[in-house]
Every structure is written in C-alpha cells, then in structure tokens.
Coordinates of all heavy atoms in Angstrom, one line a residue:
M494 N 6.3 0.6 14.4 CA 5.4 0.9 13.4 C 4.7 2.2 13.8 O 4.2 2.2 14.9 CB 4.5 -0.2 13.1 CG 3.5 0.0 11.9 SD 2.4 -1.3 11.6 CE 3.4 -2.7 11.6
A495 N 4.5 3.1 12.9 CA 3.8 4.4 13.2 C 2.3 4.1 13.3 O 1.7 3.4 12.5 CB 4.1 5.4 12.2
K496 N 1.6 4.8 14.2 CA 0.2 4.7 14.3 C -0.4 6.0 13.8 O 0.1 7.1 14.2 CB -0.3 4.4 15.8 CG 0.0 3.1 16.2 CD -0.6 2.8 17.6 CE -0.3 1.4 18.0 NZ -1.1 1.1 19.2
R497 N -1.4 5.9 13.0 CA -2.1 7.0 12.5 C -3.6 6.8 12.5 O -4.1 5.7 12.4 CB -1.7 7.3 11.0 CG -0.2 7.5 10.9 CD 0.2 8.0 9.5 NE 1.6 8.1 9.4 CZ 2.3 9.2 9.4 NH1 1.7 10.3 9.7 NH2 3.6 9.2 9.3
K498 N -4.3 7.9 12.6 CA -5.8 7.8 12.6 C -6.3 8.0 11.2 O -5.9 8.9 10.5 CB -6.4 8.9 13.5 CG -7.9 8.8 13.6 CD -8.4 9.9 14.6 CE -9.9 9.9 14.6 NZ -10.4 11.0 15.4
V499 N -7.2 7.1 10.8 CA -7.8 7.1 9.4 C -9.3 7.3 9.6 O -9.9 6.5 10.3 CB -7.4 5.9 8.6 CG1 -8.1 5.9 7.3 CG2 -5.9 5.7 8.5
E500 N -9.8 8.2 8.9 CA -11.3 8.4 8.9 C -11.8 8.2 7.5 O -11.4 8.9 6.6 CB -11.7 9.8 9.4 CG -11.3 10.0 10.8 CD -11.8 11.4 11.4 OE1 -12.7 11.9 10.8 OE2 -11.2 11.8 12.3
L501 N -12.6 7.2 7.3 CA -13.1 6.8 6.0 C -14.5 7.5 5.8 O -15.3 7.6 6.7 CB -13.3 5.3 5.9 CG -12.1 4.4 6.1 CD1 -12.5 3.0 6.0 CD2 -11.0 4.8 5.1
D502 N -14.7 7.9 4.5 CA -16.1 8.4 4.2 C -17.0 7.2 4.1 O -16.5 6.0 4.1 CB -16.1 9.3 3.0 CG -15.7 8.6 1.7 OD1 -15.9 7.3 1.6 OD2 -15.2 9.3 0.8
S503 N -18.3 7.4 4.0 CA -19.2 6.2 4.1 C -19.0 5.3 2.9 O -19.1 4.0 3.1 CB -20.6 6.7 4.1 OG -21.0 7.5 2.9
Q504 N -18.7 5.7 1.7 CA -18.5 4.9 0.5 C -17.2 4.0 0.7 O -17.2 2.8 0.5 CB -18.4 5.6 -0.8 CG -19.7 6.1 -1.2 CD -19.6 6.8 -2.6 OE1 -18.6 7.5 -2.8 NE2 -20.6 6.7 -3.4
A505 N -16.1 4.7 1.1 CA -14.9 4.0 1.3 C -15.1 2.9 2.5 O -14.5 1.8 2.4 CB -13.8 4.9 1.7
D506 N -15.8 3.3 3.5 CA -16.0 2.3 4.6 C -16.8 1.1 4.1 O -16.4 0.0 4.5 CB -16.8 3.0 5.7 CG -16.9 2.2 7.0 OD1 -15.9 1.6 7.4 OD2 -18.0 2.1 7.5
K507 N -17.8 1.3 3.3 CA -18.6 0.2 2.8 C -17.7 -0.7 1.9 O -17.8 -2.0 2.0 CB -19.8 0.7 2.0 CG -20.9 1.2 2.8 CD -22.0 1.7 1.9 CE -23.1 2.5 2.7 NZ -24.1 3.0 1.9
L508 N -17.0 -0.1 1.1 CA -16.1 -0.9 0.2 C -15.0 -1.6 1.0 O -14.7 -2.8 0.7 CB -15.4 0.1 -0.8 CG -16.3 0.7 -1.9 CD1 -15.5 1.7 -2.7 CD2 -16.8 -0.4 -2.8
A509 N -14.4 -1.0 2.0 CA -13.4 -1.6 2.8 C -14.0 -2.8 3.6 O -13.4 -3.9 3.6 CB -12.8 -0.6 3.8
E510 N -15.2 -2.6 4.2 CA -15.8 -3.7 4.9 C -16.1 -4.9 4.0 O -15.8 -6.0 4.4 CB -17.1 -3.2 5.6 CG -16.9 -2.3 6.7 CD -16.2 -3.0 7.9 OE1 -16.4 -4.2 8.1 OE2 -15.4 -2.3 8.6
K511 N -16.6 -4.7 2.8 CA -16.9 -5.8 1.9 C -15.6 -6.5 1.5 O -15.5 -7.7 1.4 CB -17.7 -5.3 0.7 CG -18.2 -6.4 -0.2 CD -19.1 -7.3 0.6 CE -19.7 -8.3 -0.4 NZ -20.6 -9.2 0.3
Y512 N -14.6 -5.7 1.1 CA -13.3 -6.2 0.7 C -12.7 -7.1 1.8 O -12.2 -8.2 1.5 CB -12.4 -5.1 0.3 CG -11.0 -5.6 -0.2 CD1 -10.9 -6.0 -1.6 CD2 -9.9 -5.7 0.6 CE1 -9.7 -6.5 -2.0 CE2 -8.7 -6.2 0.1 CZ -8.6 -6.6 -1.2 OH -7.4 -7.1 -1.7
M513 N -12.7 -6.6 3.0 CA -12.1 -7.3 4.1 C -12.9 -8.6 4.4 O -12.3 -9.6 4.7 CB -12.0 -6.4 5.4 CG -11.0 -5.3 5.3 SD -10.8 -4.3 6.8 CE -12.4 -3.5 6.9
E514 N -14.2 -8.6 4.2 CA -15.0 -9.7 4.4 C -14.6 -10.8 3.4 O -14.5 -12.0 3.7 CB -16.5 -9.4 4.3 CG -17.4 -10.5 4.4 CD -18.9 -10.0 4.1 OE1 -19.2 -9.0 4.6 OE2 -19.6 -10.8 3.5
I515 N -14.5 -10.4 2.1 CA -14.2 -11.3 1.0 C -12.8 -11.9 1.1 O -12.6 -13.1 0.9 CB -14.4 -10.6 -0.3 CG1 -15.9 -10.3 -0.6 CG2 -13.8 -11.4 -1.5 CD1 -16.1 -9.3 -1.8
T516 N -11.8 -11.0 1.4 CA -10.4 -11.4 1.4 C -10.0 -11.9 2.8 O -8.8 -12.4 2.9 CB -9.5 -10.3 1.0 OG1 -9.7 -9.2 1.9 CG2 -9.9 -9.8 -0.4
E517 N -10.8 -11.8 3.8 CA -10.4 -12.2 5.2 C -9.2 -11.5 5.7 O -8.3 -12.1 6.3 CB -10.3 -13.7 5.3 CG -11.6 -14.5 5.0 CD -11.4 -16.0 5.1 OE1 -10.3 -16.5 5.4 OE2 -12.5 -16.6 5.0
S518 N -9.1 -10.2 5.3 CA -7.9 -9.4 5.7 C -8.4 -8.4 6.8 O -9.6 -8.3 7.0 CB -7.3 -8.6 4.5 OG -8.3 -7.8 3.9
D519 N -7.5 -7.8 7.5 CA -7.9 -6.8 8.5 C -7.6 -5.4 7.9 O -7.0 -5.2 6.9 CB -7.2 -7.1 9.8 CG -5.7 -6.8 9.8 OD1 -5.2 -6.1 8.9 OD2 -5.1 -7.2 10.8
F520 N -8.1 -4.4 8.7 CA -8.0 -3.0 8.2 C -6.6 -2.6 8.0 O -6.3 -1.9 7.1 CB -8.7 -2.1 9.2 CG -8.8 -0.7 8.8 CD1 -9.7 -0.4 7.7 CD2 -8.1 0.3 9.4 CE1 -9.8 0.9 7.2 CE2 -8.2 1.6 8.9 CZ -9.0 1.9 7.9
N521 N -5.7 -3.0 8.9 CA -4.3 -2.6 8.8 C -3.6 -3.2 7.5 O -2.9 -2.4 6.8 CB -3.5 -3.0 10.0 CG -3.8 -2.2 11.3 OD1 -4.2 -1.1 11.2 ND2 -3.7 -2.9 12.4
E522 N -3.9 -4.4 7.2 CA -3.4 -5.0 6.0 C -3.9 -4.3 4.8 O -3.2 -3.9 3.8 CB -3.8 -6.5 5.9 CG -3.1 -7.4 6.9 CD -3.7 -8.8 6.9 OE1 -4.9 -9.0 6.5 OE2 -3.0 -9.7 7.3
L523 N -5.2 -4.0 4.8 CA -5.8 -3.3 3.6 C -5.3 -1.9 3.5 O -4.9 -1.5 2.4 CB -7.4 -3.3 3.8 CG -8.1 -2.4 2.8 CD1 -7.9 -2.9 1.4 CD2 -9.6 -2.4 3.2
T524 N -5.2 -1.2 4.6 CA -4.7 0.2 4.5 C -3.3 0.2 4.0 O -2.9 1.0 3.1 CB -4.8 0.8 5.9 OG1 -6.2 0.8 6.4 CG2 -4.4 2.3 5.9
N525 N -2.4 -0.6 4.5 CA -1.0 -0.6 4.1 C -0.9 -1.0 2.6 O -0.1 -0.3 1.9 CB -0.2 -1.6 5.0 CG 0.1 -0.9 6.3 OD1 0.8 0.1 6.4 ND2 -0.4 -1.6 7.4
A526 N -1.6 -2.0 2.2 CA -1.5 -2.4 0.8 C -2.1 -1.3 -0.1 O -1.5 -1.0 -1.2 CB -2.3 -3.7 0.6
A527 N -3.2 -0.7 0.3 CA -3.8 0.3 -0.6 C -2.9 1.6 -0.7 O -2.7 2.1 -1.7 CB -5.2 0.7 0.0
L528 N -2.3 2.0 0.5 CA -1.4 3.1 0.4 C -0.2 2.9 -0.4 O 0.3 3.7 -1.2 CB -1.0 3.6 1.9 CG -2.1 4.4 2.6 CD1 -1.7 4.5 4.1 CD2 -2.3 5.7 2.0
K529 N 0.4 1.7 -0.2 CA 1.6 1.4 -1.0 C 1.3 1.4 -2.5 O 2.0 1.9 -3.3 CB 2.2 0.0 -0.6 CG 2.8 0.0 0.8 CD 3.3 -1.4 1.2 CE 3.7 -1.4 2.6 NZ 4.0 -2.8 3.0
Y530 N 0.1 0.8 -2.8 CA -0.3 0.7 -4.2 C -0.5 2.1 -4.8 O 0.0 2.5 -5.8 CB -1.6 -0.1 -4.4 CG -2.1 -0.1 -5.8 CD1 -1.5 -0.9 -6.8 CD2 -3.1 0.7 -6.2 CE1 -2.0 -0.9 -8.1 CE2 -3.6 0.7 -7.5 CZ -3.0 -0.1 -8.4 OH -3.5 -0.1 -9.7
Y531 N -1.3 2.9 -4.1 CA -1.6 4.3 -4.5 C -0.3 5.1 -4.6 O -0.1 5.8 -5.7 CB -2.5 5.0 -3.5 CG -2.9 6.4 -3.8 CD1 -3.9 6.6 -4.7 CD2 -2.2 7.5 -3.3 CE1 -4.3 7.9 -5.1 CE2 -2.6 8.8 -3.6 CZ -3.6 9.0 -4.5 OH -4.0 10.2 -4.9
I532 N 0.6 5.1 -3.7 CA 1.8 5.9 -3.7 C 2.7 5.4 -4.8 O 3.3 6.2 -5.5 CB 2.5 5.9 -2.3 CG1 1.6 6.7 -1.3 CG2 3.9 6.5 -2.4 CD1 2.1 6.5 0.1
S533 N 2.8 4.1 -5.0 CA 3.7 3.6 -6.1 C 3.2 4.0 -7.4 O 4.0 4.1 -8.4 CB 3.8 2.1 -6.0 OG 2.6 1.4 -6.4
K534 N 1.9 4.3 -7.6 CA 1.4 4.8 -8.9 C 1.6 6.3 -9.0 O 1.6 6.8 -10.2 CB -0.1 4.5 -9.0 CG -0.4 3.0 -9.0 CD 0.2 2.4 -10.2 CE -0.1 0.9 -10.3 NZ 0.6 0.2 -11.3
R535 N 1.8 7.0 -8.0 CA 2.0 8.5 -8.0 C 3.4 8.9 -8.1 O 3.7 10.0 -8.6 CB 1.3 9.1 -6.8 CG -0.2 8.9 -6.7 CD -0.9 9.6 -7.8 NE -2.3 9.6 -7.6 CZ -3.1 8.9 -8.5 NH1 -2.7 8.3 -9.5 NH2 -4.4 8.9 -8.2
L536 N 4.3 8.1 -7.5 CA 5.8 8.5 -7.5 C 6.5 7.6 -8.5 O 6.1 6.5 -8.8 CB 6.4 8.3 -6.1 CG 5.8 9.1 -5.0 CD1 6.4 8.8 -3.7 CD2 6.0 10.6 -5.3
S537 N 7.6 8.1 -9.0 CA 8.5 7.2 -9.8 C 9.3 6.2 -9.0 O 9.4 6.4 -7.8 CB 9.4 8.1 -10.6 OG 10.4 8.7 -9.8
S538 N 9.7 5.2 -9.6 CA 10.5 4.2 -8.9 C 11.8 4.8 -8.3 O 12.2 4.5 -7.2 CB 10.9 3.1 -9.9 OG 9.8 2.4 -10.3
K539 N 12.3 5.8 -9.0 CA 13.5 6.5 -8.6 C 13.2 7.2 -7.3 O 14.0 7.2 -6.3 CB 14.1 7.4 -9.6 CG 15.3 8.1 -9.3 CD 15.8 9.0 -10.4 CE 17.1 9.7 -10.0 NZ 17.6 10.6 -11.1
E540 N 12.1 7.9 -7.3 CA 11.7 8.7 -6.1 C 11.5 7.8 -4.9 O 11.9 8.1 -3.8 CB 10.4 9.5 -6.4 CG 10.6 10.7 -7.3 CD 9.3 11.3 -7.7 OE1 8.4 10.6 -8.0 OE2 9.3 12.6 -7.7
I541 N 10.8 6.7 -5.1 CA 10.5 5.7 -4.0 C 11.8 5.1 -3.5 O 12.0 5.1 -2.3 CB 9.6 4.6 -4.5 CG1 8.2 5.2 -4.8 CG2 9.4 3.5 -3.5 CD1 7.2 4.3 -5.6
R542 N 12.7 4.7 -4.4 CA 14.0 4.2 -3.9 C 14.8 5.2 -3.1 O 15.4 4.9 -2.1 CB 14.8 3.6 -5.1 CG 14.4 2.3 -5.5 CD 15.4 1.7 -6.4 NE 15.6 2.3 -7.7 CZ 14.8 2.1 -8.7 NH1 13.9 1.2 -8.7 NH2 15.0 2.8 -9.8
Q543 N 14.7 6.4 -3.5 CA 15.5 7.5 -2.8 C 14.9 7.7 -1.4 O 15.6 7.8 -0.4 CB 15.4 8.8 -3.6 CG 16.2 9.9 -2.9 CD 17.7 9.6 -2.8 OE1 18.3 9.0 -3.7 NE2 18.3 10.0 -1.7
I544 N 13.5 7.7 -1.3 CA 12.9 7.9 0.0 C 13.3 6.7 0.9 O 13.6 6.9 2.1 CB 11.4 8.0 -0.2 CG1 11.0 9.3 -0.9 CG2 10.6 7.8 1.1 CD1 9.6 9.3 -1.4
M545 N 13.2 5.5 0.4 CA 13.5 4.4 1.2 C 14.9 4.2 1.6 O 15.3 3.8 2.7 CB 13.0 3.1 0.5 CG 11.5 3.0 0.3 SD 10.5 3.5 1.8 CE 10.9 2.1 2.9
K546 N 15.8 4.7 0.7 CA 17.2 4.7 1.0 C 17.6 5.6 2.1 O 18.4 5.3 3.0 CB 18.0 5.1 -0.3 CG 19.5 4.9 -0.2 CD 20.3 5.4 -1.4 CE 19.9 4.5 -2.6 NZ 20.6 4.9 -3.8
E547 N 16.9 6.7 2.2 CA 17.1 7.6 3.3 C 16.7 7.0 4.6 O 17.3 7.3 5.7 CB 16.3 8.9 3.1 CG 16.7 9.7 1.9 CD 15.8 10.9 1.6 OE1 14.8 11.0 2.3 OE2 16.0 11.6 0.6
K548 N 15.7 6.2 4.6 CA 15.2 5.6 5.9 C 16.0 4.3 6.3 O 16.6 4.3 7.3 CB 13.7 5.2 5.7 CG 13.1 4.6 7.0 CD 11.7 4.2 6.7 CE 11.2 3.5 8.0 NZ 9.9 2.9 7.8
D549 N 16.1 3.4 5.3 CA 16.8 2.1 5.7 C 17.0 1.3 4.4 O 16.1 1.1 3.6 CB 15.9 1.3 6.7 CG 16.5 0.1 7.2 OD1 17.6 -0.3 6.8 OD2 15.9 -0.6 8.0
S550 N 18.2 0.8 4.3 CA 18.5 0.0 3.1 C 17.7 -1.3 3.0 O 17.4 -1.8 1.9 CB 20.0 -0.3 3.0 OG 20.4 -1.0 4.1
E551 N 17.4 -1.9 4.1 CA 16.6 -3.1 4.2 C 15.1 -2.8 3.7 O 14.6 -3.6 2.9 CB 16.5 -3.7 5.6 CG 15.9 -5.0 5.7 CD 16.7 -6.2 5.1 OE1 17.9 -6.0 4.8 OE2 16.1 -7.2 4.8
D552 N 14.6 -1.7 4.0 CA 13.3 -1.3 3.5 C 13.3 -1.2 2.0 O 12.3 -1.5 1.3 CB 12.8 0.0 4.2 CG 12.3 -0.2 5.6 OD1 12.1 -1.3 6.0 OD2 12.2 0.8 6.3
S553 N 14.4 -0.6 1.5 CA 14.5 -0.4 0.0 C 14.4 -1.8 -0.7 O 13.8 -1.9 -1.7 CB 15.8 0.3 -0.3 OG 15.9 0.5 -1.6
K554 N 15.0 -2.8 -0.1 CA 15.0 -4.1 -0.7 C 13.5 -4.6 -0.8 O 13.1 -5.1 -1.8 CB 15.8 -5.1 0.1 CG 15.7 -6.5 -0.4 CD 16.4 -7.5 0.6 CE 15.9 -8.8 0.5 NZ 16.3 -9.7 1.6
Y555 N 12.8 -4.5 0.3 CA 11.4 -4.9 0.3 C 10.5 -4.1 -0.6 O 9.6 -4.6 -1.2 CB 10.9 -4.9 1.8 CG 11.5 -6.0 2.6 CD1 12.2 -5.6 3.8 CD2 11.5 -7.3 2.3 CE1 12.8 -6.6 4.6 CE2 12.1 -8.3 3.1 CZ 12.8 -7.9 4.2 OH 13.4 -8.8 5.0
L556 N 10.8 -2.8 -0.7 CA 10.0 -1.9 -1.5 C 10.2 -2.3 -3.0 O 9.3 -2.3 -3.8 CB 10.4 -0.5 -1.3 CG 9.5 0.5 -2.1 CD1 8.1 0.4 -1.7 CD2 10.0 1.9 -1.8
D557 N 11.5 -2.6 -3.4 CA 11.7 -3.0 -4.7 C 11.0 -4.3 -5.1 O 10.4 -4.4 -6.1 CB 13.2 -3.3 -5.0 CG 14.0 -2.0 -5.1 OD1 13.4 -0.9 -5.3 OD2 15.3 -2.1 -4.9
E558 N 10.9 -5.2 -4.1 CA 10.1 -6.5 -4.3 C 8.7 -6.1 -4.4 O 8.0 -6.7 -5.3 CB 10.4 -7.4 -3.2 CG 11.8 -8.0 -3.1 CD 12.0 -8.8 -1.9 OE1 11.1 -9.1 -1.1 OE2 13.2 -9.2 -1.7
Y559 N 8.2 -5.2 -3.6 CA 6.8 -4.9 -3.6 C 6.4 -4.2 -5.0 O 5.4 -4.5 -5.6 CB 6.4 -3.9 -2.5 CG 5.1 -3.3 -2.6 CD1 3.9 -4.0 -2.3 CD2 4.9 -2.0 -3.1 CE1 2.7 -3.5 -2.5 CE2 3.7 -1.5 -3.3 CZ 2.5 -2.2 -3.0 OH 1.3 -1.7 -3.2
L560 N 7.3 -3.3 -5.4 CA 7.0 -2.6 -6.7 C 7.0 -3.6 -7.8 O 6.1 -3.5 -8.7 CB 8.0 -1.5 -6.9 CG 7.9 -0.3 -6.1 CD1 9.1 0.7 -6.3 CD2 6.6 0.5 -6.3
Q561 N 7.9 -4.5 -7.8 CA 7.9 -5.5 -8.9 C 6.6 -6.3 -8.9 O 6.0 -6.6 -9.9 CB 9.1 -6.4 -8.7 CG 9.3 -7.3 -9.9 CD 9.6 -6.6 -11.2 OE1 10.2 -5.5 -11.2 NE2 9.0 -7.0 -12.3
H562 N 6.2 -6.7 -7.7 CA 4.9 -7.5 -7.5 C 3.7 -6.6 -8.0 O 2.8 -7.1 -8.7 CB 4.7 -7.9 -6.1 CG 3.4 -8.6 -5.8 ND1 3.2 -9.9 -6.3 CD2 2.3 -8.2 -5.2 CE1 1.9 -10.2 -5.9 NE2 1.4 -9.2 -5.3
T563 N 3.7 -5.4 -7.6 CA 2.6 -4.5 -8.0 C 2.5 -4.3 -9.5 O 1.5 -4.4 -10.1 CB 2.8 -3.1 -7.4 OG1 2.8 -3.2 -5.9 CG2 1.7 -2.1 -7.7
L564 N 3.7 -4.2 -10.1 CA 3.7 -4.1 -11.6 C 3.2 -5.3 -12.3 O 2.6 -5.3 -13.4 CB 5.1 -3.7 -12.1 CG 5.6 -2.4 -11.6 CD1 7.1 -2.2 -12.1 CD2 4.8 -1.2 -12.2
N565 N 3.4 -6.5 -11.7 CA 3.0 -7.7 -12.3 C 1.6 -8.2 -11.8 O 1.1 -9.2 -12.4 CB 4.0 -8.8 -11.9 CG 5.4 -8.6 -12.5 OD1 5.5 -8.0 -13.5 ND2 6.4 -9.0 -11.8
S566 N 1.0 -7.5 -10.9 CA -0.4 -7.9 -10.5 C -1.4 -7.0 -11.1 O -1.1 -5.9 -11.5 CB -0.5 -7.9 -9.0 OG -0.4 -6.6 -8.5
N567 N -2.6 -7.4 -11.0 CA -3.7 -6.6 -11.6 C -4.7 -6.3 -10.5 O -5.4 -7.1 -10.0 CB -4.5 -7.5 -12.7 CG -5.6 -6.7 -13.3 OD1 -5.6 -5.5 -13.2 ND2 -6.5 -7.4 -14.0
W568 N -4.7 -5.0 -10.0 CA -5.6 -4.6 -9.0 C -6.8 -4.1 -9.7 O -6.8 -3.3 -10.6 CB -5.0 -3.4 -8.2 CG -4.0 -3.8 -7.2 CD1 -2.9 -4.6 -7.3 CD2 -4.1 -3.6 -5.8 NE1 -2.3 -4.8 -6.2 CE2 -3.0 -4.2 -5.2 CE3 -5.0 -2.9 -5.0 CZ2 -2.8 -4.1 -3.8 CZ3 -4.8 -2.9 -3.6 CH2 -3.7 -3.5 -3.1
N569 N -7.9 -4.5 -9.2 CA -9.2 -4.1 -9.8 C -9.9 -3.1 -8.9 O -10.9 -3.3 -8.2 CB -10.2 -5.3 -9.9 CG -9.7 -6.3 -11.0 OD1 -9.2 -5.9 -12.0 ND2 -9.8 -7.5 -10.7
I570 N -9.2 -1.9 -8.8 CA -9.7 -0.8 -8.0 C -10.4 0.2 -8.9 O -10.0 0.6 -9.9 CB -8.6 -0.1 -7.2 CG1 -8.0 -1.1 -6.2 CG2 -9.1 1.1 -6.5 CD1 -6.9 -0.6 -5.4

C-alpha cells in the first residue's frame, strides 16, 4: 500500500476528528473511503474501470463492487 502525507486544513481536521469519533473509524479508513467516493463522483465508470484494469484485474472487481455500493448508499457530505 502506498503511503502519502495528507495535510488537513482546520475545518477538515475538525470534521474528520468528529466523524472518526462517531463512527469509531481511523484516519486511514476515512481517507480511503472519502477519496474513493470523491473520485468516483468525478470520473465516469468507464474511466475508473480502465484505470483499474491497467493496474490489476482483481482491483477492478473490487472497484466495481465499491461503485455499486456507492451508488446505492447515501453519503451526507
């Protein structure tokens, strides 16, 4: 798994801290879920499948499942 440095502004930090407290999740879980959600809203399903196909066919399967779940869930962001 790739490691990246994330710097939150003060508002995002407050929101993240409260969300993690309520959901009992950690920063990595929150960051991964938020990025996947954000990117899935910005790219088309075709673009996402193409990107994942280039990396690994197994990832593509999981991404398809994730996208289906995202479309069926209601994020209150």
Side-chain angles (χ1 to χ4, degrees):
M494 184 180 313
K496 290 188 176 190
R497 300 191 186 257
K498 181 178 177 183
V499 177
E500 294 184 24
L501 302 177
D502 63 29
S503 61
Q504 285 183 324
D506 187 45
K507 287 179 188 178
L508 291 170
E510 287 296 326
K511 186 64 175 178
Y512 182 84
M513 289 183 295
E514 178 185 319
I515 292 169
T516 62
E517 298 180 355
S518 59
D519 69 16
F520 187 71
N521 289 330
E522 291 170 336
L523 173 60
T524 304
N525 283 298
L528 281 170
K529 288 175 189 174
Y530 177 79
Y531 180 83
I532 292 169
S533 71
K534 296 298 180 188
R535 298 291 188 247
L536 299 176
S537 69
S538 295
K539 183 179 179 181
E540 289 172 315
I541 293 170
R542 277 194 295 275
Q543 183 61 39
I544 291 166
M545 297 312 293
K546 190 183 293 184
E547 292 171 4
K548 182 179 177 192
D549 185 358
S550 61
E551 187 70 16
D552 286 344
S553 182
K554 173 188 158 194
Y555 292 120
L556 185 61
D557 286 340
E558 291 172 7
Y559 170 77
L560 288 174
Q561 190 60 37
H562 174 73
T563 300
L564 295 174
N565 293 332
S566 68
N567 183 16
W568 279 60
N569 294 319
I570 296 178

